[in-house]
Amino acid sequence: MATLRQQALAMVQARQRVPVIPPASKISDFFGTNVFGTSQMKQSLAPSVFKKVMEAIDRGSKIDSATAEEIASAVKTWAMSKGVTHYTHWFQPLTGSTAEKHDSFFDMYAGMEKFKGSALVQQEPDASSFPNGGIRSTFEARGYTAWDPSSPIFILEKTLCIPTIFVSYTGEALDYKTPLLKSIEAINEASVAVCQLFDRNVRKVTPSLGVEQEYFVIDKALYAARPDLVMAGRSVFGHIPARGQQLEDHYFGSIPTRVKDFMMEFEIEALKLGIPVMTRHNEVAPGQFEVAPIFEEINKATDHNQLLMDVMDKVAEKHSLKVLFHEKPFAGVNGSGKHNNWSLITDTGINLFQPSNSARENLQFLTFLVATIKAVYDNADLLRASIASAGNDFRLGANEAPPAIISVFLGATLSELLDELEKNGNVKIEKGDNMYMKLGISKIPEIILDNTDRNRTSPFAFTGNKFEFRAVGSQANVGGPMTTLNVIVADVLKQMLKDIDKEMNGGKEKKIAIVNVLRKYIKDSKKIRFEGDGYSEEWAKEAEKRGLSNLKSTPEALDVYEKKATKELFERHNVLNHIEVHARHEIMLEDFVKKVQIESRVMGDLALNHIIPTAILYQNKLIENANGLKGLGLDHSAAVETIKDVSRHIESVKSNVSAMVEARKRLNKEESASKRAKGYQKEVKEAYFDKIRYAVDKLELLVEDESWPLVKYREMLFIR
């Protein structure tokens, strides 16, 4: 009888390609066809209604009930013309994924299809059944979803999806979108005020985002044969392949045929949904790939990243593949992240992180650059907490991803420029002198786009006209970390404006006042700048000398949310109140505990019910062999020693699994979420995972390969 491993491998070998036929020869012919976007609204709505919708999108103005009715009618007509029968409010609860409840357009009593404006604008899901950090009890179930007009309505699998926020009955945010939208307004307000020092025409600043998404692809049969992948998203046991990524031949290599077919189809579906996917390629690890869109307004980009992952999952099923978004599904090869390319764009068309040939724009560029560096320095622990998760702990600092130490990379040219500005900023400006030349600011045009190197080891790197926040986990909702980034930069910009005003009120000319403040901020935040190898032990030692935090585990990192300064920061910008901040802290701690708990349970199950029985069967074969050798009068000592070794490792597995279960029981009684999470980190994860793995690894060396019960991940990483 074939083993599970053999059956799975046989299925893989029998796979056939799934043909993919694009709907048109040009992407422009089908891009956004499943989106009720601006052009569709303009065609479907009366000019007065269209104007109100655009005002709601651009300025956040309220849509009245009569306007909502007209929009709902137009949306229903458009959707039904495409075969849609149901609609849903599509929201992003604090589970990290999306949520939806489908309702039919059909009204039985009216005998016709209906879609009211009230159904478009608001619905009522159960708020107590989603993570809420104690805000809602089981008997306090009411919550609301409310339409977000700034993110386009779309059709997914014959269902009309309406992007919404999700709040409790008492008004607290229970999702990622609500605080993100508030943070967008906070950074808009702060940025506009600073921009007007340079250009009075600026009325709006919008953060933009491009999310590079890394992921693994394996065959569906091999996935189903691994209970740990199914339950925990990663292999808790596995054998490092003889050939992994050491030849460096997978990165940017030829894309495997089945994977390319899968990529082509999910890209087509994404493009129909208005997701501007641009790039596909092999990543460093075997079986690892990346998809990248061009940048969009940050709210839309966040929605699109969540939607893209959902589309990828659905399309993978058609190709008998499985997408793994876990940050570290396999030990010994690189893990996955999201590279968040963030910048600020004015309504006058200026990227505030883009150097230019204009002296005025370059001083403005320096102002926003320095403010961002200062924000990261002042709030490094909070930024680290925003990307903390059980999965991301496996990759941060693991010689493949940015370290847990938050630092900023600028490149040699910009670093020298800031050093020059800090050092020589007090040069006396005589009448007729070119202050920009005196301050070294004239060097900025030389760095346009590509005169700054790239640093893969930096968690927060300037890349020419944007910052790349590389430390975000691959399965994370980017709304969380990007909300934090928006808020901390907004906070520094507001303080910077006050400091500049103070200088000007003291009699300083505006440009001199700006430069004086920049010099101070450069000096204050200098410790966060690092140009070297973030993977190195030397950097860890240097960072400690500089006083920078190295928060290696999620429970440790999340402590910052309970600090008074953190709560005041979010409240100051009307993004989250202290109740919402505390709730998020509780939710993230519980999420960590539950994920480690699942990994622990699946590890115990596999060890006791799959691995040990197989080891015992093999041990029995050895006993038969030893007895046979003994009966023939031959040396059977080697077989006996192997039998003893197997017995020792079996007992080690049993005792450590039992101790791990008892540790879980004891920790589950802990009332404090923080203590429970830290206990799971140290007692369950650190104390027992490695011990059990060590014993299993030893058994694997002793037990013959063909009888081993689990498909080994070395066989999962290569897809033809």
Side-chain angles (χ1 to χ4, degrees), residues 413-696:
T413 305
L414 266 183
S415 287
E416 289 171 8
L417 175 63
L418 293 192
D419 290 342
E420 176 72 15
L421 182 55
E422 178 194 355
K423 181 181 177 182
N424 297 322
N426 271 338
V427 174
K428 185 179 179 183
I429 306 299
E430 303 292 345
K431 187 175 181 181
D433 277 356
N434 184 333
M435 70 169 292
Y436 298 107
M437 291 293 290
K438 291 259 185 172
L439 297 174
I441 298 174
S442 61
K443 297 178 184 178
I444 295 179
E446 298 174 12
I447 70 158
I448 289 177
L449 285 184
D450 295 326
N451 205 12
T452 174
D453 200 354
R454 298 186 67 186
N455 189 329
R456 294 176 62 86
T457 72
S458 174
F460 199 83
F462 184 74
T463 58
N465 61 353
K466 60 190 180 299
F467 279 98
E468 185 179 18
F469 190 13
R470 296 177 54 89
V472 182
S474 53
Q475 60 185 336
N477 185 313
V478 298
M482 300 322 291
T483 293
T484 299
L485 181 57
N486 285 344
V487 170
I488 64 175
V489 174
D491 196 63
V492 170
L493 285 171
K494 283 202 164 187
Q495 184 58 50
M496 178 180 272
L497 186 61
K498 290 179 182 177
D499 291 342
I500 292 169
D501 285 342
K502 186 177 179 181
E503 289 275 327
M504 291 168 63
N505 291 336
K508 296 288 194 307
E509 191 266 332
K510 183 170 68 174
K511 292 173 184 175
I512 302 299
I514 293 170
V515 169
N516 285 347
V517 172
L518 290 182
R519 289 184 66 237
K520 180 179 185 304
Y521 280 34
I522 291 168
K523 183 178 180 180
D524 291 347
S525 61
K526 199 169 185 177
K527 290 178 182 178
I528 205 74
R529 287 160 42 198
F530 179 64
E531 303 296 305
D533 182 2
Y535 297 164
S536 66
E537 284 296 320
E538 289 77 15
W539 167 230
K541 293 174 184 176
E542 172 63 23
E544 188 176 5
K545 287 181 184 177
R546 295 186 187 189
L548 302 180
S549 298
N550 187 4
L551 305 173
K552 294 184 178 180
S553 74
T554 289
E556 183 184 14
L558 294 179
D559 282 347
V560 70
Y561 283 108
E562 287 298 275
K563 291 184 177 179
K564 182 181 178 183
T566 300
K567 294 176 180 178
E568 289 177 346
L569 169 68
F570 283 108
E571 286 194 320
R572 188 157 60 242
H573 296 278
N574 193 35
V575 172
L576 293 167
N577 61 37
H578 69 282
I579 295 173
E580 292 167 322
V581 174
H582 175 72
R584 275 161 170 72
H585 179 238
E586 294 287 306
I587 289 165
M588 287 187 279
L589 287 171
E590 288 298 330
D591 180 74
F592 176 85
V593 167
K594 288 171 183 175
K595 285 179 178 174
V596 175
Q597 190 177 72
I598 289 167
E599 290 176 2
S600 171
R601 284 174 172 166
V602 77
M603 181 179 279
D605 174 58
L606 290 177
L608 298 180
N609 300 320
H610 294 258
I611 292 168
I612 287 178
T614 303
I616 290 172
L617 284 173
Y618 183 64
Q619 192 179 46
N620 289 337
K621 289 182 181 180
L622 290 174
I623 292 170
E624 289 177 16
N625 177 260
N627 287 332
L629 291 170
K630 183 179 180 181
L632 293 170
L634 299 174
D635 182 13
H636 59 285
S637 59
V640 171
E641 283 304 311
T642 304
I643 292 166
K644 289 179 180 178
D645 282 345
V646 171
S647 293
R648 281 194 294 269
H649 295 307
I650 286 174
E651 288 306 311
S652 177
V653 170
K654 285 181 178 178
S655 62
N656 281 303
V657 168
S658 177
M660 184 171 63
V661 171
E662 291 305 312
R664 287 204 316 259
K665 288 179 180 178
R666 178 166 42 81
L667 289 168
N668 287 343
K669 295 177 182 178
E670 175 60 62
E671 291 185 7
S672 166
S674 181
K675 288 181 180 179
R676 186 162 58 251
K678 288 175 181 175
Y680 263 89
Q681 171 69 35
K682 292 187 178 298
E683 295 188 48
V684 176
K685 202 172 180 184
E686 293 177 7
Y688 294 111
F689 278 21
D690 285 343
K691 290 179 182 178
I692 296 168
R693 280 200 202 96
Y694 175 79
V696 169

Side-chain angles (χ1 to χ4, degrees), residues 209-213 291-295 301-302 305 308 338-341 478:
L209 180 66
V211 184
E212 302 169 28
Q213 176 72 57
V291 56
I294 59 173
F295 69 90
T302 300
N305 182 250
L308 179 63
K338 295 185 203 283
H339 302 159
N340 289 248
N341 296 283
V478 298

Side-chain angles (χ1 to χ4, degrees), residues 149-175:
S150 65
S151 188
I153 294 169
F154 59 90
I155 295 170
L156 184 63
E157 295 187 321
K158 301 300 181 184
T159 299
L160 183 73
C161 299
I162 303 157
T164 63
I165 62 168
F166 177 41
V167 297
S168 74
Y169 176 67
T170 46
E172 292 89 2
L174 297 176
D175 66 343

